[in-house]
Amino acid sequence: MQFRSTGASEPLVSFKDVILRCIPPDGGLYVPATTVDMRQFFLYMDTSATYPELVATVTPSLLQGELNPFSASRVAESAFDFEPELVLLDERLSVLKLYNGPTGVFKDFGIAFLAAVMEELIKRNGKAMILSAARGHSGTSMARAFNKRKGMTSVILYPEGPIHGLDEEDFVTHGGNILPIQIEGNYGDCQRLIREAINDRPFAERYSITSANAINAGRLLPQSFYYLYAFIKVKRHLRDDLVFSIPSGNFGNLIAALYAWKFGMPVGGFIAAMNINNAFGEFIRGRRFVKKPVVSTLSPALDVASPENYTRLESFYREAPVVMRNMVFPDSVDDKSTMEAMEKAWKKYGLLLDPHGAVAFAAAQKYHASRNPNGHVVVMATGHPAMFSDLVTQITGERPEQPERFALLQREIDAPVKIAPSLDTLETAVAALV
Ligand SMILES: *Cc1c(COP(=O)(O)O)cnc(C)c1O
């Protein structure tokens, strides 16, 4: 499979170049340029396949010429010591739990694969410095994924505020390969510095700078694998359309779902489940996208004014507007319905959902009521209910169990380096420490 920039149709680049360059020279975003039909692999795959087995089976065909079956197995095994979990609730409803990774959100899957595949692809003669901005627990996810990987240094930029979930033992200053840097600025400043560093070509080439933020298409591709995994697990139960309900903020998870469809997954469509920050639904319906101010809700990861993957989604719509309009169903769920969904999922199925999963659950119910009562909907449970322990307990009367691995997420540390938000200072700091 080859990639192109959303800004141009040429030149085509390899997956290795995509993950190591991250941002195309024309300032667009990388998207797959060729489609690979993967049906023969997952249609006939054993329903008992483990997640690493699935990943090891599909990646050599997707990344033909770049990853042989042996390398693919190595990557899959080293990336995933956690798996998605599909639970069939009834004949028309399943939930795919995507929160078994180190930080309890689905983003762990893309980051873990990116780190493992990067190590494999640069193993012969390369190195990489992965410069990423941290928000929520993503810094922890990156530190776990890149820790001790050969030839790689993970530099994590934190905006002002307390830093949690890192272990000093892993830091460059202690002989490890993780370097947290606190930026005297906000998350936007961190993102801007990364773009500037990648576009400063002499610097970027000297250190082989790339990023593990969502702009890296090497995170999106592996997110398509868990859709295929869900398909394998539910396929014997399907009597009608298969539909995925996806809580959508920056729309990365939805883009990954569209990749899975492009690889040949038989699917009836995707519900883009938003909270009341639903301006992007207008674009999906074929109207002009008009940005609206963000309103705070119970599902903060969906409180997004302008999705980071806008240009990627737009490029899908430009290629096949009619197909897209029939494939993606936008929906909007308010806080009251979100809480009702949390209560219903618990009372009816004994299922604890975080508010993001609950938005998708509520949208699934609406799909059954108004669009197709017989479709089978897979609800993407993107976050661990224990992350919203008080809210979940208040609504369901049941306190979610705290996984032991979350203890690290509470731990506060001091960044070894604090700098002003300028490219010069960042480059000086990196040069001094790495
Ligand atoms: C990031 C996140 C989302 C939104 O995913 P996008 O790919 O940005 O649409 C949904 N739920 C949780 C728990 C998240 O952390």
Side-chain angles (χ1 to χ4, degrees):
M1 180 162 56
Q2 290 188 299
F3 290 75
R4 65 171 174 82
S5 168
T6 51
S9 51
E10 301 285 342
L12 300 184
V13 293
S14 67
F15 181 68
K16 181 178 174 181
D17 287 343
V18 163
I19 63 172
L20 292 178
R21 164 87 217 209
C22 193
I23 304 172
D26 63 15
L29 290 171
Y30 283 119
V31 289
T34 46
T35 324
V36 192
D37 188 344
M38 303 289 297
R39 254 171 298 190
Q40 51 166 329
F41 293 97
F42 57 82
L43 278 180
Y44 305 108
M45 200 159 189
D46 191 342
T47 55
S48 66
T50 65
Y51 196 61
E53 280 166 0
L54 171 111
V55 173
T57 306
V58 296
T59 43
S61 325
L62 276 177
L63 304 177
Q64 241 164 40
E66 294 199 70
L67 208 64
N68 66 43
F70 297 105
S71 306
S73 291
R74 216 166 20 233
V75 169
E77 292 292 336
S78 107
F80 299 117
D81 58 357
F82 54 95
E83 294 208 4
E85 194 182 330
L86 186 106
V87 182
L88 198 73
L89 301 175
D90 61 34
E91 286 301 304
R92 304 182 307 153
L93 197 63
S94 301
V95 60
L96 185 67
K97 297 182 180 175
L98 293 168
Y99 50 66
N100 296 329
T103 69
V105 295
F106 77 88
K107 295 173 181 84
D108 287 333
F109 282 92
I111 293 169
F113 181 85
L114 175 65
V117 79
M118 204 183 273
E119 183 180 45
E120 186 70 29
L121 292 177
I122 66 170
K123 172 159 100 175
R124 299 247 182 281
N125 45 20
K127 57 171 184 165
M129 180 182 291
I130 303 94
L131 203 59
S132 317
R135 180 164 53 182
H137 295 301
S138 65
T140 303
S141 190
M142 287 162 191
R144 302 301 345 129
F146 287 99
N147 192 29
K148 299 194 169 56
R149 293 207 181 269
K150 284 194 206 69
M152 302 160 79
T153 310
S154 172
V155 180
I156 308 172
L157 306 186
Y158 283 88
E160 251 154 351
I163 300 178
H164 291 99
L166 300 177
D167 188 343
E168 286 92 344
E169 296 292 306
D170 303 331
F171 292 179
V172 166
T173 42
H174 287 67
N177 69 336
I178 309 296
L179 177 60
I181 297 182
Q182 187 138 41
I183 302 293
E184 291 157 2
N186 57 29
Y187 183 75
D189 293 318
C190 300
Q191 283 181 304
R192 172 180 54 79
L193 285 175
I194 290 165
R195 276 193 175 273
E196 287 176 7
I198 291 175
N199 290 326
D200 177 357
R201 289 320 287 167
F203 176 77
E205 272 158 31
R206 174 149 22 102
Y207 290 98
S208 303
I209 302 277
T210 183
S211 174
N213 283 124
I215 41 173
N216 198 323
R219 260 177 69 171
L220 291 178
L221 184 74
Q223 282 177 213
S224 68
F225 302 158
Y226 49 68
Y227 291 95
L228 304 180
Y229 182 81
F231 168 76
I232 287 168
K233 300 291 169 183
V234 295
K235 66 182 177 187
R236 328 183 247 133
H237 303 279
L238 298 178
R239 318 249 176 288
D240 202 312
D241 275 357
L242 171 65
V243 170
F244 288 88
S245 185
I246 308 166
S248 297
N250 280 308
F251 282 76
N253 220 1
L254 187 90
I255 301 270
L258 292 168
Y259 292 167
W261 165 68
K262 274 207 152 188
F263 303 155
M265 180 176 68
V267 64
F270 305 100
I271 303 168
M274 289 163 278
N275 62 27
I276 55 166
N277 296 291
N278 63 351
F280 202 56
E282 293 300 306
F283 170 78
I284 294 174
R285 289 195 183 86
R287 301 188 199 110
R288 207 162 61 85
F289 169 50
V290 183
K291 233 201 243 194
K292 283 195 282 187
V294 180
V295 181
S296 290
T297 70
L298 293 176
S299 42
L302 313 186
D303 297 347
V304 174
S306 178
E308 280 170 20
N309 285 294
Y310 176 80
T311 52
R312 284 194 173 108
L313 207 57
E314 196 193 26
S315 108
F316 262 103
Y317 276 89
R318 227 180 304 129
E319 276 173 34
V322 180
V323 180
M324 290 297 294
R325 229 136 264 153
N326 291 318
M327 288 289 289
V328 183
F329 321 128
D331 200 357
S332 169
V333 174
D334 64 16
D335 278 353
K336 183 165 169 284
S337 307
T338 304
M339 290 192 282
E340 284 165 4
M342 287 167 83
E343 188 181 8
K344 181 164 187 190
W346 173 247
K347 285 213 173 119
K348 191 163 179 199
Y349 300 107
L351 172 71
L352 291 179
L353 286 174
D354 94 322
H356 304 87
V359 166
F361 185 93
Q365 308 268 305
K366 282 160 81 182
Y367 171 87
H368 278 141
S370 65
R371 207 175 255 273
N372 178 2
N374 300 316
H376 189 103
V377 186
V378 179
V379 171
M380 305 302 269
T382 47
H384 200 294
M387 292 292 180
F388 293 84
S389 202
D390 290 344
L391 182 69
V392 172
T393 312
Q394 184 196 323
I395 291 169
T396 63
E398 180 78 8
R399 186 162 285 277
E401 209 177 303
Q402 287 283 335
E404 251 172 60
R405 66 185 190 282
F406 287 2
L408 175 70
L409 301 175
Q410 311 300 326
R411 221 174 138 245
E412 192 171 332
I413 58 116
D414 269 332
V417 189
K418 288 192 181 116
I419 60 168
S422 90
L423 185 61
D424 276 350
T425 355
L426 176 65
E427 292 183 355
T428 311
V430 164
L433 280 159
V434 178

